[in-house]
Amino acid sequence: MENQLAKSTEERTFQYQDSLPSLPVPSLEESLKKYLESVKPFANEEEYKNTEAIVQKFQNGIGEKLQQKLLQRAKGRRNWLEEWWLNVAYLDVRIPSQLNVNFGGPASHIEHYWPPKEGTQLERGSISLWHNLNYWQLLRKEKLAVEKVGNTPLDMNQFRMLFSTCKIPGITRDSIINYFRTVRNGRFGKWEKHTFCAKRVKDIPQVTLQCCVEAEFLSLM
């Protein structure tokens, strides 16, 4: 898998970021048309007609003023949506991230976890950590191949927060910092993102040993 992910030796993972075009602002007409298309399957005829009337009123009223404000915002940002999306979709959400938000990511192969077996949490957790750290090293060294549509590179910025990124709970909005934690017997251990290094951790047994040391340390606290 690593050979496939690192197949690009000439291109760096983030080398096209500065040359990507800014996120365009769709026209008001296009946005409202797509909104009505998304509503139609869920509304009966009367509800849809009422929605059309509301949309028309919005378009002829405050909609145009808001569109101009959006265009003005886009002039000073390469991605006018990014900050809003991060806050609304992730940091303002008051439900657990696991399953509700972060339901995907890099992981080991299924054979590393199947069949279920008692007493293998540390072993299988180490395997998962090892594969994740290998993927992290590809990102750190910018060896992860650039995703493209044909010959057109796509935005790879989302990969910058894939690892060593934690949400710290807030009352109305969470914040983001860079580290990850382990838990044993209700005690939390903090691992800085540079704790593991490919030059120091060569294989899965070494990761398991480090996890054992950390777990033992937490148990003695």
Side-chain angles (χ1 to χ4, degrees):
M1 181 180 73
E2 182 175 344
N3 290 334
Q4 294 176 339
L5 293 172
K7 64 181 179 181
S8 174
T9 57
E10 297 181 357
E11 296 179 327
R12 302 188 316 277
T13 303
F14 303 110
Q15 77 174 64
Y16 299 112
Q17 290 303 114
D18 293 337
S19 61
L20 293 174
S22 299
L23 182 68
V25 178
S27 67
L28 180 60
E29 292 76 14
E30 182 182 357
S31 296
L32 295 180
K33 179 182 178 181
K34 289 185 176 181
Y35 173 72
L36 287 173
E37 290 174 352
S38 67
V39 168
K40 195 169 186 178
F42 304 98
N44 57 38
E45 184 176 353
E46 182 181 355
E47 291 171 336
Y48 185 72
K49 287 183 177 180
N50 289 336
T51 303
E52 281 186 313
I54 294 172
V55 167
Q56 188 64 44
K57 182 179 179 180
F58 176 83
Q59 183 174 2
N60 296 332
I62 195 174
E64 187 57 42
K65 294 180 180 179
L66 294 176
Q67 180 74 3
Q68 292 305 314
K69 289 186 176 182
L70 193 57
L71 290 170
Q72 189 64 33
R73 174 184 173 87
K75 289 182 180 179
R77 295 172 171 81
R78 296 195 62 205
N79 189 329
W80 55 269
L81 182 61
E82 182 178 21
E83 181 182 357
W84 288 344
W85 179 255
L86 179 63
N87 289 335
V88 174
Y90 296 99
L91 301 183
D92 291 346
V93 176
R94 301 294 90 190
I95 55 177
S97 295
Q98 294 298 329
L99 299 181
N100 295 291
V101 179
N102 295 333
F103 45 80
S108 312
H109 297 295
I110 188 66
E111 57 264 28
H112 295 146
Y113 299 106
W114 196 262
K117 184 179 178 182
E118 291 186 6
T120 60
Q121 293 93 332
L122 189 59
E123 173 192 342
R124 295 182 176 184
S126 299
I127 292 173
S128 178
L129 184 57
W130 166 249
H131 286 285
N132 273 267
L133 289 171
N134 274 322
Y135 196 91
W136 176 58
Q137 286 291 342
L138 291 177
L139 286 175
R140 286 182 68 245
K141 298 176 180 179
E142 293 198 50
K143 290 186 177 181
L144 189 68
V146 179
E147 294 184 356
K148 297 182 179 181
V149 175
N151 294 322
T152 303
L154 300 179
D155 187 359
M156 298 291 288
N157 191 56
Q158 67 270 23
F159 287 95
R160 295 187 189 276
M161 291 196 295
L162 184 60
F163 289 98
S164 306
T165 304
C166 293
K167 285 206 310 179
I168 302 302
I171 296 176
T172 59
R173 175 174 292 172
D174 301 334
S175 57
I176 292 177
I177 59 174
N178 298 115
Y179 65 80
F180 60 94
R181 288 187 178 276
T182 54
V183 184
R184 178 180 170 85
N185 295 334
R187 300 182 185 276
F188 288 79
K190 178 179 176 181
W191 301 66
E192 301 294 345
K193 61 181 179 180
H194 58 267
T195 298
F196 290 107
C197 176
K199 293 181 180 179
R200 293 164 49 196
V201 182
K202 297 295 184 181
D203 51 30
I204 293 174
Q206 277 192 278
V207 177
T208 305
L209 178 60
Q210 277 195 257
C211 288
C212 287
V213 172
E214 173 70 9
E216 184 64 23
F217 174 74
L218 290 175
S219 69
L220 295 175
M221 290 179 62

